[in-house]
């Protein structure tokens, strides 16, 4: 590969930048020279058909998957690469470990540690990774469990919590690392309809009262429309179209976007 030269990201520039990012599995190109900037405090929704690369975008940003080409930057510095001479080389596991805590992710499937209580789930990483004392970590965790309305269930194990309650703990657990950016991958799609609202309310309040930077993959068009600053429509590993919710939902320009919106909105 040719030497990659790092981009200078100005102060106050985007918090996250995908620069020509390609991700493939064998012959299958899942992200195809993707360019995407996310500004500080921005709430960006990603929509698009199944298999278009939405989850992959979040997984490579979370460093759960390596990319094949391009560079991802977070907070002004390369995430996927580290400096070598005047260029960049792929990051080592240690380099990634030091940066991964800047990013928090909540998945579709509840993935709390089953053998730990809600509170223990939230103190584990801040103690191990950030080096907080148990008291500090518990104070922080209790504040966050309160924020998501789960303080009364702090001593319960996940098996005694509803799906909606588990997702709220998972959000608190991710926030406990004070991430610069939160990634949400269809966090309500495995939930029973009656508890979806409580999780959406938490996301709504994080967005309006705590001005977090968030990237949310969702099939809930109404919610995406309500809370997003920007909506990106993915098609075959690229952003086929993006804009404000009003632009994208009321006046889509791309044929693929129109077809997709017809299909999902007709289905509801
Ligand atoms: N570990 C993997 N190995 C091989 N192919 C993979 C792997 N993970 C994802 N893919 C493929 O990459 C493509 C994009 O997957 P991705 O999960 O990003 O889609 P998505 O847009 O999130 O879809 P959905 O709406 O169904 O969740 C799919 O074709 C998928 O089969
Ligand atoms: Mg997905």
């Amino acid at each position: 590969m040719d030497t990659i030269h790092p981009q200078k990201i100005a102060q106050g520039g985007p918090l996250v930048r995908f620069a020509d990012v390609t991700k493939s599995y064998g012959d299958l190109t899942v992200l195809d020279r993707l360019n995407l900037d996310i500004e500080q405090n921005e709430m960006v929704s990603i929509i698009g058909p199944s298999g278009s690369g939405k989850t992959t975008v979040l997984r490579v940003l979370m460093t759960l998957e390596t990319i094949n080409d391009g560079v991802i930057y977070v907070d002004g510095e390369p995430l996927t690469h580290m400096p070598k001479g005047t260029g960049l080389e792929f990051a080592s596991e240690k380099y990634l470990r030091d940066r991964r805590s800047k990013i928090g992710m909540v998945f579709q499937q509840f993935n709390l540690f089953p053998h730990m209580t809600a509170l223990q789930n939230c103190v584990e990483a801040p103690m191990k990774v950030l080096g907080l004392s148990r008291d500090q970590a518990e104070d922080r965790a209790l504040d966050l469990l309160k924020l998501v309305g789960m303080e009364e269930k702090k001593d319960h194990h996940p098996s005694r919590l509803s799906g909606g309650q588990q997702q709220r703990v998972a959000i608190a657990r991710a926030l406990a690392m004070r991430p610069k950016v939160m990634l949400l991958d269809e966090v309500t799609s495995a939930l029973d309809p009656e508890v979806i609202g409580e999780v959406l309310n938490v996301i709504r309040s994080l967005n309006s009262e705590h001005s977090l930077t968030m990237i949310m993959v969702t099939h809930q068009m109404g919610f995406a429309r309500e809370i997003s600053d920007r909506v990106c429509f993915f098609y075959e590993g690229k952003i086929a179209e993006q804009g404000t919710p009003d632009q994208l939902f009321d006046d889509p320009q791309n044929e693929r976007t129109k077809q997709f919106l017809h299909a999902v909105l007709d289905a509801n």
Side-chain angles (χ1 to χ4, degrees), residues 215-240:
I215 310 177
M216 174 173 81
V217 172
T218 185
H219 285 298
Q220 294 200 286
M221 299 302 143
F223 187 60
R225 180 172 191 145
E226 173 200 325
I227 74 164
S228 307
D229 297 307
R230 178 155 52 111
V231 181
C232 298
F233 172 69
F234 265 65
Y235 193 82
E236 293 183 347
K238 281 190 159 85
I239 298 174

Side-chain angles (χ1 to χ4, degrees), residues 92-109:
S92 67
E93 190 46 40
K94 179 180 182 316
Y95 181 95
L96 288 178
R97 221 177 16 245
D98 292 345
R99 278 153 190 82
R100 194 171 281 144
S101 61
K102 293 187 175 198
I103 301 147
M105 183 159 178
V106 181
F107 301 83
Q108 170 176 0
Q109 285 303 333

